[in-house]
Amino acid sequence: MTKNKKRAWFPLLIGFVAGVGIAAAAGVAAYNVYLEAKRPKRYQVSLSEDMTIPLPGGGLVYAASSLDRIFKDGHTLVKPAIRKSVDVSAARHEYESFQVVVKAGEQPVRTVSLEISDLTEENGESKIEKANISWRVVGYVPTIKPYYPVKYVGLWPDPLMPAAATEVDPGSTQPFWVTIYVPPDAKAGNYSGLITVKAEGASSVEIPLKLRVYDFTLPVESRFKTAFDFYGHETFKRYPQGEKESAEAYDARLATINDKFIMAMLRYRINPILNIDPTKDSELALVDRYRVLGLNNFSIGKRGGTLGNNWPKDDGGIEGLLGLYRTYGEMLKLNKFLPYTYIYTWDEGKLGNPDVAKLCSMIHRAYPGLKNMVCYHGFWDPDKHPGWGKDIDIWTFQIDNFNLEKMRKLTDLGLEIWMYISGPGGYGTPNLAMDFDSMDYRIVPWLCWKYDIKGFLYWCVNWWPKVDPFKNAQNSKWEQNANGLLLYPGEDGPIASLRIEIFRDGMEDYEYIQALLDKMKIIKRQKLAGPFEKFYDQSKSLLTVDAKIAEAMDKFTRDGEVLKARRNAIAEKIEEFDRFYKAQTDPVPQP
């Protein structure tokens, strides 16, 4: 009897458990639908006649800004700035980019190419030759679904492929990246020219191009410090030895390729870390060469954070390096490189690690002018670890761990503060991985200016996995897309990503800020009155990174037009000062 009762309840129990399971599964599914609905989406662009130029077969041509991320289906990440014409501005020795976009209708648009004229100044007395204007084809790389929130998984625009006639498939959208370089000797003024879009079997389409050249020049050497690692030991993975190529010839070819990557980094205003051995004349000669091209900061030595913290494990081994680092210091001073150097002493790990304190102490005792840089997720708390960081000169914190109060404690102790970005944390802070808004790449120098952060570090520009980086964005074992990959391996040198181009725009913005700050310093130093007092107050307002630009590390504008307006206002203030000052005295003094 009892057994029969138990058997009668058993199917009911199974049914109850199954019902709960089905309900739970349904709940999870419903929650996933909810999360997907809440996930940020791409912007669905609506193209009207007043912003596009028609092509035969139902196609369209239009211009867009460099901050508009344009996908093959025509979507963007945020509302784009679409025009029938191009109107841009730049200072001398500045690069300014925009996009020309071709959208095919029901028929393909075949062999699309661009032809760009010289730019002529409005009075016809000066021009910027078309040799200073380049165009490239925006390439696409498939992404994987990462652990952090993204607006889209699929083909993302990123590599800027060499100029070539391109076919645009029916219903597809293809952007072309155009970059103007303003030579240092260019005359200030308003220039104009034409971009001609050519395609097989279709009439050419012309897009008017206007460029305003501001009457100031950006310096070759940036005033914001950066440290981006280039893994020269990784290039063999993408540039294998030829079947009939000797070892000597192969080594020489790899050295040439590596040098092309370093040179490209400098053109993008980012410093390679280098890890120079100051006792070797050949490596010092490289520094001489790179300094001319804008290198303002580099690491020394063959030990440290970029090399896996490969220091001796015992006190005797650490002390045994005193003589070597003393020699490093003397050689750097002799060659006048000491102010531009640091030792990447330690990378991440546990705060308060006694080995770090010993290493930093050894380096300072070896040569007091040498600077120790460390990278940590958080900040040293002098109250918790008193004296531990007294020999650290540069503190580099991970962006997700920003804490203004803790940072100020360290600046009060005399430490120089840098910031670094690593794997996406999903906290809303900027990241340099592929599947982020374009503004993430440009806003970094603005954020550093806002918080008086003196430098920026990024772990790698060429982390190339075994998979082809043009065909798979997952370049590491982590579920990330192109983290540590800003330059692609071209046939015999680098192919830029649009991310590194946009980061350079942010670096150039920083130079605008510094140029206006220089004018404000002149006003203070010379105690200029009258119109200069109003100018000073207006300039101070422009240089304040307020909520319109960035409210916090994780709250900043996504509107490129807002940033562009602030940048242009700063430029006009720089020109205004020079006009004011010239009316009183000539020439304009240097800050």
Side-chain angles (χ1 to χ4, degrees), residues 190-449:
N190 297 310
Y191 292 74
S192 61
L194 285 174
I195 304 166
T196 303
V197 182
K198 296 184 173 183
E200 180 184 313
S203 301
S204 297
V205 170
E206 292 184 341
I207 298 177
L209 168 57
K210 292 182 179 179
L211 168 70
R212 176 178 176 180
V213 175
Y214 291 122
D215 197 12
F216 59 94
T217 306
L218 300 189
V220 173
E221 184 177 322
S222 298
R223 283 175 280 190
F224 183 59
K225 299 175 184 178
T226 57
F228 284 60
D229 215 351
F230 168 70
Y231 290 175
H233 57 280
E234 291 288 315
T235 47
F236 77 93
K237 293 179 180 178
R238 291 291 143 196
Y239 299 95
Q241 186 174 357
E243 189 175 332
K244 297 182 180 180
E245 188 176 25
S246 69
E248 293 78 9
Y250 180 51
D251 288 344
R253 181 163 66 89
L254 281 182
T256 300
I257 289 170
N258 287 346
D259 188 62
K260 288 180 179 179
F261 276 88
I262 297 293
M263 302 282 276
M265 292 171 71
L266 293 169
R267 283 197 301 275
Y268 286 107
R269 293 186 175 269
I270 59 178
N271 296 307
I273 288 175
L274 292 180
N275 294 321
I276 289 294
D277 182 346
T279 66
K280 293 185 177 179
D281 289 341
S282 59
E283 296 195 23
L284 292 175
L286 283 176
V287 173
D288 272 326
R289 182 164 168 247
Y290 297 153
R291 286 276 300 134
V292 173
L293 299 172
L295 181 75
N296 70 10
N297 223 42
F298 61 95
S299 177
I300 63 157
K302 303 302 180 181
R303 296 179 183 273
T306 62
L307 301 164
N309 299 324
N310 60 336
W311 297 97
K313 303 300 181 185
D314 60 285
D315 292 354
I318 291 173
E319 290 299 304
L321 295 172
L322 267 167
L324 177 63
Y325 279 84
R326 185 174 296 118
T327 302
Y328 283 171
E330 293 291 354
M331 293 301 295
L332 291 168
K333 182 180 179 182
L334 179 65
N335 287 277
K336 299 181 180 180
F337 288 153
L338 192 60
Y340 309 104
T341 63
Y342 60 92
I343 298 164
Y344 193 153
T345 311
W346 197 265
D347 185 65
E348 298 184 338
K350 185 179 179 180
L351 287 165
N353 179 353
D355 290 340
V356 178
K358 292 174 185 177
L359 288 164
C360 292
S361 171
M362 179 275 292
I363 288 167
H364 272 182
R365 285 183 286 115
Y367 203 88
L370 293 175
K371 290 180 286 189
N372 289 298
M373 181 178 77
V374 300
C375 293
Y376 277 97
H377 280 277
F379 290 86
W380 166 42
D381 185 342
D383 298 325
K384 186 176 181 181
H385 300 289
W388 174 76
K390 65 182 179 64
D391 288 301
I392 295 172
D393 302 284
I394 302 171
W395 186 275
T396 309
F397 69 91
Q398 206 271 352
I399 189 171
D400 292 335
N401 301 107
F402 176 66
N403 184 302
L404 184 59
E405 183 181 351
K406 290 183 178 181
M407 188 185 86
R408 294 295 182 233
K409 274 189 178 183
L410 299 191
T411 56
D412 289 345
L413 291 174
L415 276 73
E416 183 173 305
I417 305 298
W418 286 29
M419 179 173 78
Y420 75 101
I421 285 175
S422 52
Y427 295 104
T429 54
N431 201 275
L432 301 189
M434 183 186 295
D435 39 3
F436 282 74
D437 287 355
S438 293
M439 187 60 79
D440 280 56
Y441 318 133
R442 187 162 183 171
I443 202 67
V444 170
W446 288 85
L447 289 171
C448 289
W449 166 251

